Amino acid sequence: MWSAVQRKRLGYDKRFLDRYFSKHADVEWHNRMSSVNATVDVVIKSNGGNLYKLRAYIPSDWPDSCPTMTVVDPKDLKLKNGHPLPDVSHDYHTIGNRDGLHVLCHYRPGDWDPCKTLYHVFMKGRIWIEAYEAHLATAEPLEQYLKTKKRLD
């Protein structure tokens, strides 16, 4: 169960996501009252008009730890050459697999601080989506588009 401080923070995060994403995307919470398996999904429309569903797994010590973010849909992500998107790749900013879904690198755990919100996490996901679509157009790795972003954090 979340502490009173964590419940207040999650309420803040929910209001922030609803304010900035629900007008343009679907925001869906799962098990929000459980500190064991709480997640939030946000459907984001890319600049190219494609829909992506991202999921943040909220850690039990939220906001002290960085949430994991995955791509829920489309599940079968491909590279420009038709090969599957690798589960672990510096060039494509993927760091594993969770529940059969690609885990995106959005913040290094050591760079995380509790002042960051779920809004920040999903904005990083939004940037990843745009870099992914740029890759599909050019065949350049996502790192080509995301490396300059590192300086803006």
Side-chain angles (χ1 to χ4, degrees):
M1 198 61 138
W2 300 111
S3 71
V5 170
Q6 288 175 307
R7 283 193 305 274
K8 184 176 181 178
R9 172 58 189 269
L10 282 168
Y12 171 80
D13 281 300
K14 182 180 183 319
R15 285 189 302 279
F16 218 71
L17 288 177
D18 288 345
R19 181 176 179 187
Y20 292 103
F21 279 110
S22 64
K23 292 177 187 167
H24 310 287
D26 293 324
V27 177
E28 186 175 352
W29 291 81
H30 304 277
N31 304 308
R32 187 167 66 105
M33 300 313 289
S34 169
S35 62
V36 178
N37 55 0
T39 62
V40 60
D41 294 349
V42 174
V43 176
I44 296 175
K45 188 175 187 177
S46 71
N47 287 342
N50 299 306
L51 297 177
Y52 294 80
K53 182 187 283 190
L54 302 179
R55 173 172 295 152
Y57 294 79
I58 304 169
S60 61
D61 63 345
W62 178 254
D64 295 327
S65 291
C66 184
T68 300
M69 184 169 42
T70 62
V71 179
V72 176
D73 191 49
K75 190 171 183 175
D76 189 26
L77 295 169
K78 302 280 188 195
L79 300 175
K80 171 121 173 120
N81 65 12
H83 293 111
L85 181 71
D87 281 339
V88 178
S89 171
H90 172 76
D91 282 344
Y92 295 97
H93 287 248
T94 54
I95 57 172
N97 185 295
R98 181 167 181 176
D99 299 333
L101 306 170
H102 286 94
V103 176
L104 305 182
C105 179
H106 56 92
Y107 284 102
R108 291 185 185 115
D111 292 341
W112 181 258
D113 88 52
C115 293
K116 292 184 173 87
T117 66
L118 291 172
Y119 170 81
H120 292 106
V121 172
F122 283 106
M123 284 305 295
K124 289 276 199 143
R126 173 103 170 73
I127 293 166
W128 185 93
I129 288 168
E130 297 304 332
Y132 174 70
E133 290 201 348
H135 158 75
L136 294 177
T138 66
E140 294 288 338
L142 275 69
E143 174 64 11
Q144 179 66 30
Y145 304 102
L146 298 175
K147 64 184 174 185
T148 57
K149 174 66 182 94
K150 291 177 188 174
R151 290 181 280 167
L152 301 176
D153 290 337

